[in-house]
Amino acid sequence: MKQILRITIGLTISCLIAGSIMGLVFTITAKAKKHNEHLNVQETMLALLGYTKANPAPSDLRFHSVYRYIIEDGEAKYIGYMVPVKKGATEGYELVVINLAGKFVEKLEVPISPEAAIEEGERETALKTVLRHPKTFTYADTTIIARLGDKQLAYLLPGEFPGFKTFISVMLALDPNFKILGLEIMEHEEDPGLGAEIEQEYFKNQFKGKSFEKVKRLKVIKEPLPDKYKRYLETKKWKKGMFSEQEIESIRSKYQDHDIYALTGATISSRSVTNGVKNIIKKFAYRMGKLNKVIASQHIAVTF
Amino acid sequence: MAPTTKTNKELFVNGILNENPIFRLALSMCPAVGISTSVMNGLLLGIAVLFVQVFSSCTIALIKDYIHPRIRIPTYTLTIATWVTVIDLVLAAYVPVAYKAMGIFVKLIVAFAIITMRLEMFACKNTVTASFWDGLGMGLGFMFAMMTLGFVRELLGMGTLLGYDILGFRPLLFFALPAAGFFLVGLMMAMFNYIEVVYNRRKKGL
Amino acid sequence: MRMDRRHHILVCTFFIWVLLLTGCATEHRFVKKVAFKDKNKVVMTFAGPVDETWAKDVANYSVYEKQDPDILLKITDIALSPDKRTVTLTFEDALNQDQAHILTVTEMMSAGRSQGTAILTVKKLYFGYLFSILIGAMIINNFVFTKYLGLCVFFGTSQKKTTAVGMGITFTIVIVFASMMSWFLYQFVLKPYHLDFLQVVVFIGLVSLSVQAVDTILRKVNPALFKAFGVYLVLVIANCIIIAVPLILADNEYNAWESLMLSLGAGTGFLIALFLMSSVREKLELANVPPTFRGLPIAFVVAGLFALAFLGFSGMSIF
C-alpha cells in the first residue's frame, strides 16, 4: 500500500513539473511563433513585388487585407467581403454582403481594429456581433492588396491546391490587370529531386509576366527547357553583364506567351501547379470584378 | 553496472566514434534515411537531438535517487517527451521554414531508441557531469552522422552545400531521391566495417 | 458457436451497408443517383422518365463547388438517354472531383407534372474514399518504404519470416488500438481546450498504456497467444510509426472511420514490408555476401531496392 502511494505521488509530481515546463515554454513561444510567421509572409510578399534588401520597399507601400466569408441564412447563401474602409482619419472594417449573382445586399459595420483583424479568432467574434443567430458564416480566403502612394500596385493571393502527393500552398502576385507578377511556393511535400523542383526558380519564374488572357489557356508542355531561357529564369544566379538589356527584352517577349515547360520526371506536379494557379486566378478575377462594381455603385470608401 | 570510470573526454569521444548511434549502434535510423537530403536538415535535427539527449540525461541523473524502480521507464518517457515538446515549440517559433522541412521528425525524437537507451544504460547510474558529457558525445555523434549523410547527398544529388551552389551541376540526381538514403546508409556501414577490419588486421600485424 | 458466427456476419453486412448507403443516397426522392463520370461529366438517374424540353434546357441546372457557391460551372452539353431516365451534363472544364459539388435542378418535369426542385450533393463514394486511405497507407505511401519510419524495429525483426509475421500482427493490433484512443482524446479533450502542444506527451503515454493493456489482456485471455506474441509487445513502443500515425491523424483532422482506416493501413503496410524483407533476407543467408556487407549493410541495400520499387506506386490514385 505504501509502495503504491509513493508511486502515485511520484508520478503526479513529475507530471505536474513536466506540465508546467511545457506550459511555460508554450506561453513564451506562442507570441514569437505568430510574429515570425507573420514576418515570413510579409517577406515573401515583398520579394514577390520585387523588393529585396538591396532594393528596399518605399515607405508609402501599404498592404490592405480583404477577407472573404460565405454567409448562410437558411437555404440562401451570400458572399461577405470584409473590406478595410476609411473612417475619418482612422481605418475600420465593413462587411459588404453580395448575393450569388453579384448584386449588393447590405453593408454592415464591423467593430474591429485593423491590428486585431489579422487574427481569425478576433474577426470571428467581431462578425458574430453583426451577423446574428440564424445566419452562419465560414471563412473562405484572404486577398492582400498592395498600394503604393495613391495607385494600386498588386493583388497578393495565398492559395492551396492538391499536388502530386499532398497539398501545395502558394502565394501569387497579380497586377491590377491580373497579369502574374510572381509565384512563390510556400509549402509542399513533393518528392525531393523530382516534384520538389517546383520551388526552383527555373520552374516558378516561368509564370512571371503571363497575361490574364494567356493564363486562361495555360498548358504544360513536355519539351526540354531551352538552356538560354533557363539561365534567364534563374535570376538569383545572374552575374553582371550576363545578359544585355536587349537580350533580356528579346527573351522576355519570346517566351511571354509560351506554355509552361514541365519538370523532368515530374509532369504531374508541374501540371497541378499550373492548373492550381490557373484556377486561383480565374476565380479571383471573376470575384474581384463583381466586388469592384459593388464598391463603385455603393460608394464604399475603401482604403485600397 | 557500477558508475563509469572513464574520464569526461573519453565519454565525449566514445559517443562520436566508438559508439556512434547511427553507423555503429544502428539506432535511430529513420531520420538518417528520411531527411538526410541536405546538410541543413542534418544540422537542425542534430541540434534537436543533442538538446533532448543532454537535457534528459542531466534530468535523470539529477533525480535518479528519487525514482521508484517500478516506474523507471514511464519516468524516462515523460522526461524525453517533455524536452521534445520544448524543442519542438522553440523550433516552430524561431525557425519556421526549416522546421517545416523536417516535418514530423522533430516530434518523433520521442521514439528514438538511442535516447532511452542512454538513460537506461548510463544516466541513471552516473553523476550529472558524466551524464552531461555522455549526452553531449552521443548527440554530437548523431549530428556528425546526419551531417555526413547530408553532405554526400546534397553535394552529389543537388550540387549544392547548405543551399549554396558549389558544383554548378548535378553529378548524380539519384542521391537526392528519397530511396537513396537506404543505399547510402548501407554503404557507410559497410565502410565503417571495412575500416574496422583493416584496423584490427594492422593491430595484429604490429 | 454457429449462432456466434451468424451474428458476426450480420454485424459485418450491416456496417458495409451503412457505409454504402452514406455514399449513395440523394437528397430528393425523384433523383435516384447522381455521380461523377469521366473527367468533366455528371450523371443523374431519375426515378421516372423526364420531359425532353425540360431536360435539355441549361437554365434548369446550376452546379458549383461546395466551397465556392458564387462561381457557377459552365455546362456545355446535356445528353438524355433513350429511356429518358438518365441525364448527362458535360462541363467546359475538368471537375475537381475531390470536392463535393452542389447541383441544383429546378422544377423537374416528368410526364407534364412538376416533381419540385432538388438540391443535390455530388461527391465520390465515401466507401471508395475510405478504401483509398487504407490502400494509400498500406502500399502507395507505405510507412517503411516511402516515409522511412519504424526502421529500427523493421531491420531488427525481419531476419526470419515467423518473427516478421508475429511482429507485424502484434503491431497492427496495438496501432489500431492506440490510434483510436489518441484520436478520441485529441478530438474531444486536447483540441477543445487548446492543449495541442501536449500532443507528444499524451500520445506517447497512450501508446505505452495500450501496450500495457494488450499485454495484460492477452496474458489473461489467451496465454498460448501471449507466449507467441508477447515478446514483440516490448518492441512495439520503440517503433516510431506508432507515434507518427496519431500525429498524422491530428494534423489531417480525420474522422473516426478515416482514422481507423489509416491506422489499419499503417499496421498492415508494416506487416507487408516485414514479410517482403524477411523473404529476401532468408535467401540472403545462403548467398555469398562480401564480409564487410554481411548483416545490416546488405539489408539496407535491399531495403533501398524495395523503396525504389515502391516509388513506382507513388501518386497512384484508386477511385
Side-chain angles (χ1 to χ4, degrees):
Chain A
M1 194 59 208
K2 213 180 158 195
Q3 289 271 322
I4 294 175
L5 207 69
R6 260 194 71 194
I7 292 176
T8 333
I9 292 172
L11 263 182
T12 321
I13 292 174
S14 16
C15 280
L16 278 177
I17 295 173
S20 47
I21 291 177
M22 284 183 281
L24 191 74
V25 175
F26 176 71
T27 36
I28 293 171
T29 55
K31 221 173 180 180
K33 186 180 175 187
K34 251 178 215 157
H35 175 76
N36 279 341
E37 261 172 14
H38 184 68
L39 211 69
N40 193 18
V41 173
Q42 201 86 11
E43 247 166 46
T44 318
M45 293 196 301
L46 288 175
L48 277 174
L49 297 178
Y51 299 115
T52 52
K53 272 194 187 123
N55 172 25
S59 57
D60 54 350
L61 180 75
R62 293 275 176 281
F63 292 114
H64 304 282
S65 304
V66 174
Y67 307 98
R68 188 167 67 87
Y69 281 85
I70 294 169
I71 301 166
E72 279 179 73
D73 187 2
E75 286 282 282
K77 280 186 182 174
Y78 304 96
I79 305 294
Y81 291 95
M82 223 174 110
V83 293
V85 289
K86 288 185 202 100
K87 259 198 275 174
T90 58
E91 239 180 66
Y93 267 95
E94 261 178 25
L95 185 74
V96 181
V97 183
I98 299 175
N99 73 6
L100 294 188
K103 292 276 165 301
F104 175 76
V105 178
E106 58 181 337
K107 185 167 81 176
L108 303 159
E109 203 162 296
V110 185
I112 192 168
S113 69
E115 291 79 38
I118 298 169
E119 297 294 324
E120 203 183 321
E122 299 265 351
R123 291 201 301 270
E124 212 176 292
T125 36
L127 280 175
K128 267 185 187 147
T129 59
V130 288
L131 294 168
R132 296 247 164 64
H133 173 59
K135 287 179 187 166
T136 55
F137 59 90
T138 40
Y139 169 67
D141 58 21
T142 307
T143 306
I144 298 140
I145 297 157
R147 206 177 160 82
L148 191 63
D150 54 357
K151 82 177 205 300
Q152 258 183 25
L153 189 67
Y155 297 118
L156 291 155
L157 318 174
E160 201 181 62
F161 43 80
F164 180 56
K165 291 199 121 169
T166 51
F167 280 85
I168 299 175
S169 83
V170 297
M171 168 95 78
L172 263 171
L174 306 180
D175 80 350
N177 298 319
F178 309 122
K179 190 175 96 174
I180 303 181
L181 291 174
L183 167 73
E184 186 58 57
I185 312 285
M186 306 287 284
E187 258 178 74
H188 71 88
E189 279 178 40
E190 307 296 289
D191 292 318
L194 301 168
E197 297 290 288
I198 52 171
E199 58 180 29
Q200 297 286 337
E201 281 198 306
Y202 72 85
F203 180 73
K204 66 183 187 200
N205 280 0
Q206 288 185 41
F207 288 89
K208 228 182 214 174
K210 299 268 184 274
S211 66
F212 184 45
E213 281 310 306
K214 177 63 204 170
V215 168
K216 280 192 213 162
R217 294 172 282 107
L218 200 59
K219 281 202 307 279
V220 170
I221 48 168
K222 279 173 113 171
E223 276 171 35
L225 186 68
D227 206 37
K228 199 171 183 189
Y229 187 37
K230 187 180 172 191
R231 269 184 289 137
Y232 162 78
L233 288 171
E234 288 176 325
T235 45
K236 276 191 193 142
K237 287 188 197 163
W238 279 16
K239 290 180 194 85
K240 250 193 181 157
M242 208 164 117
F243 293 102
S244 65
E245 296 263 318
Q246 286 157 324
E247 256 181 314
I248 292 177
E249 189 49 42
S250 81
I251 297 174
R252 203 183 62 82
S253 58
K254 186 178 169 192
Y255 291 104
Q256 193 176 26
D257 269 342
H258 209 278
D259 284 315
I260 302 295
Y261 288 99
L263 291 167
T264 329
T267 315
I268 301 178
S269 298
S270 320
R271 207 171 274 152
S272 36
V273 174
T274 311
N275 287 336
V277 166
K278 196 156 102 180
N279 275 334
I280 292 175
I281 297 180
K282 270 162 86 178
K283 283 178 184 171
F284 174 72
Y286 174 85
R287 283 185 182 129
M288 211 54 207
K290 294 255 155 97
L291 180 64
N292 278 338
K293 250 186 229 162
V294 170
I295 287 173
S297 69
Q298 296 297 320
H299 307 292
I300 298 165
V302 289
T303 52
F304 53 85
Chain B
M1 199 174 84
T4 183
T5 49
K6 287 180 187 165
T7 63
N8 291 344
K9 199 182 144 203
E10 277 168 348
L11 284 172
F12 181 68
V13 176
N14 175 49
I16 298 179
L17 296 174
N18 303 3
E19 289 189 20
N20 187 295
I22 290 180
F23 297 134
R24 302 294 302 172
L25 302 181
L27 288 169
S28 318
M29 306 307 304
C30 314
V33 175
I35 56 160
S36 60
T37 42
S38 72
V39 180
M40 197 63 198
N41 278 355
L43 179 69
L44 273 167
L45 197 74
I47 290 174
V49 169
L50 181 70
F51 172 87
V52 176
Q53 179 74 72
V54 168
F55 274 75
S56 310
S57 285
C58 290
T59 316
I60 292 298
L62 199 66
I63 60 168
K64 60 178 184 286
D65 299 333
Y66 307 103
I67 305 171
H68 194 279
R70 294 196 61 177
I71 53 161
R72 207 175 66 242
I73 300 292
T75 319
Y76 295 164
T77 314
L78 183 69
T79 315
I80 298 171
T82 309
W83 292 118
V84 168
T85 310
V86 168
I87 191 76
D88 183 65
L89 287 169
V90 170
L91 286 180
Y94 296 102
V95 279
V97 179
Y99 175 75
K100 268 172 196 151
M102 286 189 285
I104 201 168
F105 277 103
V106 180
K107 286 186 178 128
L108 286 185
I109 293 177
V110 79
F112 283 6
I114 176 73
I115 298 172
T116 325
M117 199 197 82
R118 281 333 280 178
L119 298 187
E120 169 76 12
M121 304 255 298
F122 197 90
C124 70
K125 296 172 195 110
N126 288 291
T127 59
V128 178
T129 336
S131 303
F132 173 79
W133 285 107
D134 178 69
L136 200 67
M138 278 293 155
L140 282 175
F142 178 84
M143 194 152 99
F144 161 73
M146 283 296 286
M147 281 176 73
T148 316
L149 290 170
F151 179 82
V152 176
R153 286 183 76 177
E154 196 177 345
L155 192 67
L156 292 183
M158 310 295 283
T160 59
L161 273 184
L162 284 168
Y164 294 103
D165 211 330
I166 299 285
L167 298 177
F169 67 103
R170 295 171 177 189
L172 275 168
L173 184 62
F174 171 75
F175 278 108
L177 292 185
F182 280 118
F183 290 100
L184 196 63
V185 173
L187 291 180
M188 285 287 207
M189 280 179 165
M191 204 176 77
F192 267 70
N193 283 350
Y194 184 70
I195 291 171
E196 198 185 6
V197 168
V198 171
Y199 182 74
N200 286 345
R201 210 181 285 157
R202 284 250 179 92
K203 228 172 165 184
K204 259 180 218 161
L206 277 172
Chain C
M1 198 61 201
R2 254 184 68 206
M3 269 306 282
D4 239 31
R5 184 170 288 170
R6 255 179 63 192
H7 187 74
H8 191 72
I9 291 170
L10 260 173
V11 170
C12 278
T13 15
F14 172 74
F15 274 116
I16 291 172
W17 269 111
V18 167
L19 280 171
L20 282 173
L21 281 174
T22 45
C24 273
T26 70
E27 294 94 329
H28 195 273
R29 62 185 163 79
F30 189 63
V31 186
K32 268 167 70 182
K33 208 179 129 195
V34 53
F36 291 117
K37 197 186 153 196
D38 299 341
K39 262 187 182 160
N40 59 344
K41 288 187 177 112
V42 168
V43 182
M44 282 181 286
T45 313
F46 295 102
V50 288
D51 294 354
E52 194 166 347
T53 44
W54 170 84
K56 291 268 181 181
D57 189 357
V58 179
N60 289 323
Y61 307 94
S62 72
V63 184
Y64 56 81
E65 277 179 32
K66 199 174 181 185
Q67 84 279 26
D68 291 324
D70 54 336
I71 295 177
L72 297 180
L73 303 177
K74 206 170 162 194
I75 299 169
T76 50
D77 184 50
I78 299 170
L80 188 63
S81 69
D83 67 350
K84 301 199 170 171
R85 281 165 186 263
T86 312
V87 171
T88 309
L89 306 175
T90 310
F91 294 86
E92 194 180 37
D93 297 314
L95 300 168
N96 180 5
Q97 303 196 355
D98 292 325
Q99 294 289 347
H101 285 57
I102 306 290
L103 166 62
T104 314
V105 193
T106 39
E107 293 294 312
M108 291 176 285
M109 300 296 281
S110 170
R113 271 193 26 228
S114 169
Q115 297 287 343
T117 298
I119 298 169
L120 311 162
T121 314
V122 195
K123 59 182 175 201
K124 282 194 203 169
L125 276 184
Y126 191 58
F127 191 61
Y129 175 60
L130 286 181
F131 195 65
S132 71
I133 291 183
L134 179 73
I135 297 291
M138 205 153 78
I139 293 170
I140 302 168
N141 293 319
N142 187 293
F143 275 78
V144 176
F145 291 133
T146 69
K147 292 199 171 144
Y148 319 108
L149 296 175
L151 295 182
C152 302
V153 179
F154 173 70
F155 284 109
T157 56
S158 60
Q159 264 148 342
K160 276 204 195 107
K161 263 188 215 159
T162 44
T163 344
V165 172
M167 180 68 212
I169 292 173
T170 319
F171 180 72
T172 310
I173 295 167
V174 179
I175 199 174
V176 170
F177 199 65
S179 310
M180 291 319 285
M181 282 205 321
S182 319
W183 173 83
F184 184 84
L185 212 70
Y186 178 75
Q187 291 293 331
F188 297 104
V189 180
L190 292 190
K191 215 170 66 163
Y193 295 104
H194 300 288
L195 292 170
D196 300 31
F197 66 96
L198 289 178
Q199 266 181 4
V200 176
V201 181
V202 171
F203 292 165
I204 195 90
L206 279 177
V207 169
S208 327
L209 206 68
S210 41
V211 168
Q212 197 59 52
V214 171
D215 186 288
T216 319
I217 294 170
L218 212 61
R219 205 189 289 258
K220 292 269 155 60
V221 174
N222 198 334
L225 210 62
F226 179 76
K227 224 175 170 185
F229 292 135
V231 276
Y232 307 119
L233 274 171
V234 195
L235 283 173
V236 166
I237 198 160
N239 190 337
C240 34
I241 301 176
I242 205 155
I243 188 86
V245 167
L247 288 171
I248 292 172
L249 294 178
D251 250 13
N252 291 357
E253 300 284 332
Y254 279 151
N255 69 21
W257 284 112
E258 293 159 2
S259 307
L260 180 69
M261 288 297 151
L262 187 84
S263 49
L264 198 64
T268 37
F270 190 66
L271 174 64
I272 291 172
L274 271 176
F275 185 74
L276 288 175
M277 191 67 186
S278 60
S279 310
V280 176
R281 282 180 84 174
E282 278 188 0
K283 289 268 187 306
L284 268 180
E285 296 277 296
L286 308 171
N288 185 15
V289 181
T292 43
F293 270 95
R294 235 166 251 161
L296 269 184
I298 192 73
F300 264 89
V301 174
V302 171
L305 291 174
F306 270 122
L308 274 183
F310 270 75
L311 200 63
F313 290 120
S314 173
M316 209 166 84
S317 65
I318 308 162
F319 300 104

